[in-house]
Structure formats: structure tokens, C-alpha cells
Amino acid sequence: TFNGTWKVDRNDNYDKFMEKMGINIVKRKLASHDNLKVTFEQTENTFSVKEASAFRTLEINFTLGVTFDYTMADGTDLTGSWVMEGDTLKGTFNRKDNGKELVTTRVITANELVQSYSYEGVDATRIFKRS
Ligand code: MYR
């Protein structure tokens, strides 16, 4: 289960990913130390995600398979949805400004939550520990 609070522990290739996303170096430096915490509460097909970081706190609610809008911390608007594939949450989103696709997954391995990001051929991961 994803339920509970997770705190980012480390990133892999996240800077390159953000660069591909067009985020400037100042914002990338801040974002790499954003102390992101996410709290999940899943009830059947519905998730509440509380996001807390150096930038902001917000709550997102979504239902698996149902499209919703999400605004990234830098203001980039996305639209898309999450589905469950086995034990993996898979999110397929499109940027509203250029239509390009961002694919992200969340899976729990060895008591860590691994979130992957993929955009225009650049892949990154952020790894979270329970807090
Ligand atoms: C959620 O489930 O947390 C809300 C929906 C998340 C959508 C995908 C998140 C991608 C954010 C990428 C930010 C990286 C900065 C370049």
C-alpha cells in the first residue's frame, strides 16, 4: 500500500530531467533540495495526495483512470491520469503548453517508494522513505 507519508531521500538524473523540461538552473537547484513529502490515502480507486515541499503545500484528489489537471511547482500545467498496472501506479500526463507527454510511475520496492519520470527520452527517479 502507498498509504502514509513519504519523504524524498535521493534523486537520480533529476537535474537532467528538469533541464529537458525547460526549467532554469536556479529553479533546478532549489528543486533538487525541495524536501518533498507526499502523503497518500487510497480508498479503492480514489487517492488523496498531500504534497508538501519548500515551494508549497497542496492536496490533489484523483480517481484511477480519470483525467485531471495538475500544476507543477514551477507553474507548468499538466493534464492526465493515473492507472494501476499490477503494483505500479502509472501516470500519463501531457503538458498543456506544448502537448508533450510526461510519463511517471510509482512503485514500492524494499520499503522505498520509487517515482520515475520520463520526458522526451530523459528518465529520472526520486526515491522516498517512509517518514
Ligand atoms: C500526484 O499524484 O502527485 C499528482 C499528479 C502528479 C503528476 C505528475 C507529476 C510530475 C511532476 C514533475 C515535476 C518535475 C519537475 C520538472
Side-chain angles (χ1 to χ4, degrees), residues 14 17-19 21 23 31 38 40 47 49 51 60 62 68-70 72-74 78 82 89 91 93 102 104 106 115 117 126:
Y14 193 50
F17 168 77
M18 289 190 286
E19 187 176 13
M21 288 287 285
I23 296 170
V38 282
F40 295 94
F47 283 76
V49 182
E51 176 182 320
I60 302 117
F62 62 83
F68 64 99
D69 292 342
Y70 175 80
M72 287 169 27
D74 77 325
L78 305 177
W82 290 100
L89 265 173
F93 293 85
L102 188 164
T104 176
R106 287 173 170 141
Q115 181 158 11
Y117 304 86
R126 306 195 82 184

Side-chain angles (χ1 to χ4, degrees), residues 21-127:
M21 288 287 285
I23 296 170
N24 73 44
I25 184 148
V26 176
K27 290 181 182 172
R28 295 206 304 275
K29 292 290 173 205
L30 294 171
S32 64
H33 300 284
D34 63 354
N35 286 319
L36 179 61
K37 255 194 205 179
V38 282
T39 301
F40 295 94
E41 241 179 82
Q42 179 184 7
T43 311
E44 295 175 4
N45 285 336
T46 297
F47 283 76
S48 150
V49 182
K50 292 196 180 78
E51 176 182 320
S53 73
F55 299 117
R56 59 180 184 174
T57 63
L58 81 163
E59 180 174 345
I60 302 117
N61 292 285
F62 62 83
T63 300
L64 295 176
V66 178
T67 298
F68 64 99
D69 292 342
Y70 175 80
T71 302
M72 287 169 27
D74 77 325
T76 303
D77 289 315
L78 305 177
T79 186
S81 62
W82 290 100
V83 296
M84 196 69 89
E85 289 186 352
D87 291 333
T88 301
L89 265 173
K90 181 176 180 192
T92 306
F93 293 85
N94 289 88
R95 289 174 65 138
K96 289 190 178 179
D97 57 354
N98 65 11
K100 289 182 178 174
E101 190 172 81
L102 188 164
V103 175
T104 176
T105 62
R106 287 173 170 141
V107 67
I108 295 167
T109 2
N111 227 33
E112 294 184 320
L113 185 152
V114 180
Q115 181 158 11
S116 75
Y117 304 86
S118 180
Y119 180 76
E120 293 290 296
V122 179
D123 300 323
T125 54
R126 306 195 82 184
I127 296 160

